[in-house]
Amino acid sequence: MTEVSVAKEDRAANGELVVLKSVNKHFGALHVLQDIDLTIARGEVVVVIGPSGSGKSTLCRTINRLETIDSGSITIDGKPLPAEGKALARLRADVGMVFQSFNLFAHKTVLENVMLGQIKVRKVDKAKAEEKARKLLDRVGVASQADKYPAQLSGGQQQRVAIARALAMDPKVMLFDEPTSALDPEMINEVLEVMQQLARDGMTMIVVTHEMGFARSAANRVVFMADGRIVEEAVPDQFFSNPRSDRAKDFLSKILHH
Amino acid sequence: MRCGPTRTAPYPTFATHPEAREIVFDFLSDYDDPSLLGAFWVTVQLTFLSAVGSLIWGTLLAAMRVSPVPLMRGFGAAYVNIVRNIPLTVIIVFTSLGLADIFGVALGAPDDFEVKYFRLAVLGLVAYTAAFVCEAIRSGINTVPVGQAEAARAIGLSFSQVLRLIVLPQAFRSVIGPLANVLIALTKNTTVAATIGVAEAALLMKEMIENEAQVLLIGAIFAFGFIVLTLPTGLFLGWLSKRLAVKR
């Protein structure tokens, strides 16, 4: 197995935003994250791929501490991840997260979903929060659905609202945990387009996905995980055309050529 | 089409003999302190105050039972498991013989016995009913998908904000039905307050049964009175529960 690090000097120049050092985590007997070292630079788009159960989602969730870690360290913008309490809440506000199952607040309208964090966490006044929420909803293309409840929207629309909800907090980095895996095929693109636009606008993104097309077109770097380890890191072109590790070759041979 | 001669009722009824109504219900006018309505009004007050109190205390208990602090979880669990397994009669009698007589708790009315025992009864009913409210709400919390709380934490809400803004509002909507059951049970449980002399419906019923001959009628009157209180409550809350259901 080979680790390929790419363009280290580029990243250092931009500044390191998220740094994971020898992170370990167990679920009971399962060693789900094994000595993970990963550095994400400001403005970088990193796509994490790998087979099911390889620890990709867990990795994503440790970055805003929805999953705790057993050992190692995670720092965001130079600050170590707080264990709990107010400090952790503050940090989470700076880390946007988009879930596989959308998780829009079911008892609130689309507009309220996007306003809630601004008002309750950022203490923005209501009128400003609404203005910003409408702007963001417009940006992700669901402005006309503002007064509906999440259950009245299609999956693709819900996921775009979820992206708007995360963006409303002005996050430093956005985490995407398989954002298109629960979507009908025809709705995947509308979500990917929003994400691609975000990437072009310079948002720092960590994306766990099975969308190889997105990885190719939007990622600065692909991280391939298997069995709780980072097996390979490379720029997309190199990874997809010339994977170094056998595990990655095996994985790609199964999912490509369809 | 009517065949044969017109039938008349073979026995006198209230319709044929209006004076019969007076004779049968006559005894009610002997009771004016409290009157039938007055006694039921006390029942309504007991129910309302205990419902509000147990909703607040039960919600706090439920919050304790799901909190990340082990001490709070332990307290919540212990409270519920002890209190809901003690007969309400024991609790209500304890408020009077224990709290009031031994510990001198007067709840701000040491000289006015009527007010004092009314308040003690409310206290006992709240303490008891809150255990059931807590469990209803906790089961409601369990119906809220874990992703809702995760998403709320992910935008930086604190534990209490997650609970207040996201989890509890959804939990309440899903347990309006079970809470209606608790409220109906509470309405009927207020009759236990009679054991410490609160002048509510059951005490008046006892008095009437001791003094009057129409035992079945008295039973029917009070049963009807409680149905008048609880049936609309149940129907209204059933309707509300459908209306407010969270669509997923």
Side-chain angles (χ1 to χ4, degrees), chain A residues 61 64 89 92-93 95 99 103-108 116-117 120-121 151 165 169, chain B residues 147-148 150-158 161 165-166 169-170 173 246-248:
Chain A
R61 290 161 58 86
N64 67 354
R92 282 180 174 147
V95 179
F99 299 86
N103 295 346
L104 292 178
F105 305 132
H107 63 307
K108 294 195 173 291
L116 185 78
K120 299 294 178 181
V121 179
R165 177 176 68 180
M169 307 302 292
Chain B
Q148 294 284 307
E150 280 186 349
R153 279 150 69 200
I155 60 170
L157 296 177
S158 67
Q161 284 178 318
L165 301 171
I166 306 300
Q170 294 186 44
R173 288 160 190 239
V246 178
K247 295 180 184 62
R248 301 199 187 279

Side-chain angles (χ1 to χ4, degrees), chain B residues 137-183:
Chain B
I137 291 174
R138 197 165 67 98
S139 74
I141 289 174
N142 290 336
T143 68
V144 181
V146 65
Q148 294 284 307
E150 280 186 349
R153 279 150 69 200
I155 60 170
L157 296 177
S158 67
F159 173 80
S160 75
Q161 284 178 318
V162 172
L163 208 55
R164 273 187 296 117
L165 301 171
I166 306 300
V167 177
L168 281 179
Q170 294 186 44
F172 271 120
R173 288 160 190 239
S174 68
V175 295
I176 295 174
L179 283 179
N181 277 341
V182 174
L183 181 59

Side-chain angles (χ1 to χ4, degrees), chain A residues 231-245:
Chain A
V231 177
E232 190 165 339
E233 288 183 61
V235 291
D237 277 349
Q238 188 188 337
F239 178 79
F240 287 110
S241 56
N242 188 20
R244 308 273 177 100
S245 64

Side-chain angles (χ1 to χ4, degrees), chain B residues 16-237:
Chain B
T16 56
H17 294 73
E19 69 279 11
R21 188 186 327 239
E22 276 170 41
I23 296 165
V24 173
F25 290 97
D26 210 18
F27 71 93
L28 284 178
S29 57
D30 296 342
Y31 296 87
D32 50 6
D33 186 32
S35 65
L36 185 63
L37 281 180
F40 268 106
W41 175 235
V42 175
T43 296
V44 169
Q45 287 174 307
L46 274 176
T47 306
F48 179 78
L49 292 173
S50 306
V52 172
S54 56
L55 193 62
I56 295 169
W57 180 220
T59 306
L60 287 173
L61 283 170
M64 285 186 207
R65 290 208 72 175
V66 300
S67 92
V69 185
L71 190 69
M72 285 182 151
R73 278 205 304 275
F75 173 80
Y79 182 96
V80 167
N81 284 308
I82 292 170
V83 172
R84 74 171 169 185
N85 290 310
I86 299 176
L88 177 60
T89 314
V90 175
I91 292 175
I92 295 287
V93 169
F94 172 77
T95 61
S96 159
L97 300 184
L99 286 184
D101 295 355
I102 298 176
F103 297 109
V105 175
L107 299 175
D111 302 320
D112 187 338
F113 281 93
E114 206 169 301
V115 174
K116 179 165 108 175
Y117 286 103
F118 176 85
R119 288 181 184 173
L120 285 168
V122 170
L123 182 70
L125 285 165
V126 168
Y128 177 79
T129 312
F132 296 90
V133 170
C134 166
E135 289 305 275
I137 291 174
R138 197 165 67 98
S139 74
I141 289 174
N142 290 336
T143 68
V144 181
V146 65
Q148 294 284 307
E150 280 186 349
R153 279 150 69 200
I155 60 170
L157 296 177
S158 67
F159 173 80
S160 75
Q161 284 178 318
V162 172
L163 208 55
R164 273 187 296 117
L165 301 171
I166 306 300
V167 177
L168 281 179
Q170 294 186 44
F172 271 120
R173 288 160 190 239
S174 68
V175 295
I176 295 174
L179 283 179
N181 277 341
V182 174
L183 181 59
I184 288 170
L186 169 65
T187 310
K188 297 182 292 179
N189 284 343
T190 57
T191 53
V192 178
T195 55
I196 60 169
V198 177
E200 46 67 72
L203 194 70
L204 182 64
M205 179 176 82
K206 192 163 161 262
E207 194 186 331
M208 285 182 180
I209 288 175
E210 280 166 8
N211 298 333
E212 309 296 335
Q214 297 98 319
V215 174
L216 289 180
L217 179 66
I218 293 168
I221 289 172
F222 283 92
F224 178 74
F226 275 95
I227 289 174
V228 166
L229 291 181
T230 53
L231 195 66
T233 313
L235 291 175
F236 169 71
L237 289 177

